[in-house]
Amino acid sequence: MMHWFEGPLAAFDTETTGVDVEEDRIVSAALVVQDTAGGRTRVTRWLVNPGVPVPAGATEIHGLTDDHLQRNGRWPAPVVEEIARALAEQCATGRPLVVMNAPFDLTLLDRELKRHRASSLSRYTQNSPLCVLDPRVLDKHLDRYRKGRRTLTDLCEQYGVVLDGAHDAAADAAASMELVRAVGRRFSGRLERLTPAELHTLQAVWHAAQARGLQAWFAKSGTPEVVDPAWPLRPELRAAA
């Protein structure tokens, strides 16, 4: 019997103007679909003219300049609609969606839908709820005492996954998918009996516990940063009264 980590998966990633999910914008995105481990991948790419300046620091990471995006990018409204429909289609087919650090990419997409379509990601997935596999949450739970950072680059090195062209949305999505497969194989004894839907539910619990631990560490070290325990999507901030 084929285990879920050898079967159909899709992976999603974005490149953005920054790291604030409430204010920053998508400049590129990719969806990578694969029916079996080692099989051919189908890649859909989006390039977006965000309508706001791209900070130099962001360009330094992903290489996308204002000039390039203005010349080649599309307006955000139709793009975020296409992305949301593409993710919903994967949900409808029952294909798990791999998203590295899901609360970032999925929340940012949700806010872009609100900004440009007066909509939300949950509206597109209301008939087929998201089933997300987040390699960062999985690895942090399954190998919780390992020291070191857990960025996509770090995890790919840890699991022997090739990351060719980091900070390109399609390359990062493809690497995230292979990373989930590698995590599944390494911890097959603990994962193979769980369905992706069961893992989705468990990851919400695991991420919340991880967030509480990190928040406690920040408090102890005097760092004012706040860690959101929500996964895979952060709730909307309430408007000030």
Side-chain angles (χ1 to χ4, degrees):
M1 184 181 74
M2 181 184 291
H3 300 307
W4 62 261
F5 46 83
E6 303 292 357
L9 293 176
F12 175 66
D13 189 73
T14 65
E15 297 300 328
T16 67
T17 59
V19 297
D20 184 340
V21 296
E22 302 296 338
E23 299 296 336
D24 279 307
R25 313 296 176 88
I26 294 172
V27 295
S28 71
L31 179 67
V32 178
V33 179
Q34 189 179 48
D35 293 328
T36 58
R40 184 177 64 88
T41 58
R42 303 184 294 282
V43 182
T44 305
R45 295 178 173 86
W46 294 272
L47 192 66
V48 187
N49 178 356
V52 299
V54 181
T59 295
E60 200 171 308
I61 292 171
H62 51 57
L64 298 170
T65 64
D66 280 329
D67 182 65
H68 179 75
L69 293 170
Q70 289 168 11
R71 289 174 180 272
N72 301 287
R74 298 165 58 203
W75 289 114
V79 173
V80 294
E81 167 90 6
E82 287 177 17
I83 294 172
R85 289 189 181 279
L87 298 190
E89 182 180 336
Q90 297 307 313
C91 296
T93 63
R95 189 176 281 113
L97 184 66
V98 176
V99 190
M100 173 73 183
N101 192 19
F104 177 79
D105 294 84
L106 296 183
T107 304
L108 201 144
L109 173 60
D110 180 77
R111 303 311 191 255
E112 287 278 59
L113 287 165
K114 178 183 178 183
R115 183 177 295 120
H116 297 291
R117 306 297 299 186
S119 189
S120 66
L121 184 56
S122 62
R123 182 176 175 184
Y124 288 87
T125 60
Q126 59 185 345
N127 295 322
S128 301
L130 286 167
C131 179
V132 178
L133 298 170
D134 187 333
R136 186 171 183 270
V137 174
L138 290 171
D139 171 75
K140 201 168 184 180
H141 177 78
L142 295 163
D143 198 359
R144 68 183 68 184
Y145 299 114
R146 191 183 76 247
K147 296 186 182 298
R149 302 190 310 164
R150 299 181 195 246
T151 67
L152 180 60
T153 300
D154 297 319
L155 292 183
C156 284
E157 183 175 344
Q158 175 69 26
Y159 287 88
V161 171
V162 175
L163 175 54
D164 193 7
H167 299 299
D168 168 82
D172 286 357
S176 296
M177 179 187 293
E178 289 306 311
L179 185 55
V180 161
R181 295 196 190 282
V183 171
R185 293 181 191 118
R186 181 174 295 185
F187 296 100
S188 61
R190 299 167 65 182
L191 296 178
E192 64 185 8
R193 295 181 185 278
L194 295 168
T195 67
E198 289 170 333
L199 272 173
H200 177 98
T201 301
L202 286 169
Q203 284 170 102
V205 177
W206 296 343
H207 178 270
Q210 293 162 9
R212 288 193 298 270
L214 184 57
Q215 191 70 74
W217 186 85
F218 281 151
K220 186 176 180 180
S221 61
T223 303
E225 189 170 344
V226 176
V227 185
D228 196 319
W231 181 97
L233 187 67
R234 296 176 188 170
E236 277 193 59
L237 295 176
R238 292 182 178 177

